[in-house]
């Protein structure tokens, strides 16, 4: 069931509806808050809120791309190992039949 979530960021109130678990929402809000604070340079008012949001979005996208690439490499390595293991099992089974 969806619920309304409210939070404050850079002195502004935000709210949205979500059905995500509370701990997941808290983790997301904490991540966004951290990234926005990192990109604002700790100087409120120096950089526009829009620019801070774009910089934070770019950082999140960068993290996502890196994780996606790591996942693809892991998946490829796992598939390779499964292939080797499957070949070894097939070889062992065919050798066992000859005995």
């Amino acid at each position: 069931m969806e619920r309304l979530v409210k939070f404050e960021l850079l002195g502004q109130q935000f709210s949205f509806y979500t059905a995500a678990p509370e701990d997941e929402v808290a983790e997301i809000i904490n991540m966004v808050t951290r990234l926005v604070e990192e990109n604002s340079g700790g100087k409120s008012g120096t950089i526009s809120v829009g620019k801070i949001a774009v910089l934070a979005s770019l950082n999140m996208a960068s993290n996502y791309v890196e994780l996606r690439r790591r996942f693809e490499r892991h998946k490829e390595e796992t598939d390779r190992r499964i292939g080797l293991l499957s070949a070894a099992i097939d070889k062992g089974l065919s050798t066992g039949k000859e005995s």
Side-chain angles (χ1 to χ4, degrees), residues 3-68:
R3 68 186 186 293
L4 179 65
V5 175
K6 296 180 180 185
F7 68 102
E8 184 177 324
L9 186 63
L10 295 174
Q12 297 183 29
Q13 293 291 324
F14 296 90
S15 59
F16 61 95
Y17 286 92
T18 183
E22 208 159 314
D23 60 331
E24 186 176 315
V25 172
E27 189 173 350
I28 290 167
I29 291 172
N30 286 336
M31 176 188 285
V32 170
T33 301
R34 181 181 50 80
L35 286 170
V36 165
E37 287 173 354
E38 286 175 7
N39 286 286
S40 68
K43 302 169 187 162
S44 62
T46 306
I47 303 174
S48 73
V49 173
K51 285 184 179 181
I52 293 169
V54 169
L55 291 172
S57 297
L58 288 169
N59 278 325
M60 282 188 265
S62 173
N63 290 339
Y64 170 77
V65 168
E66 179 185 348
L67 287 172
R68 188 182 68 206

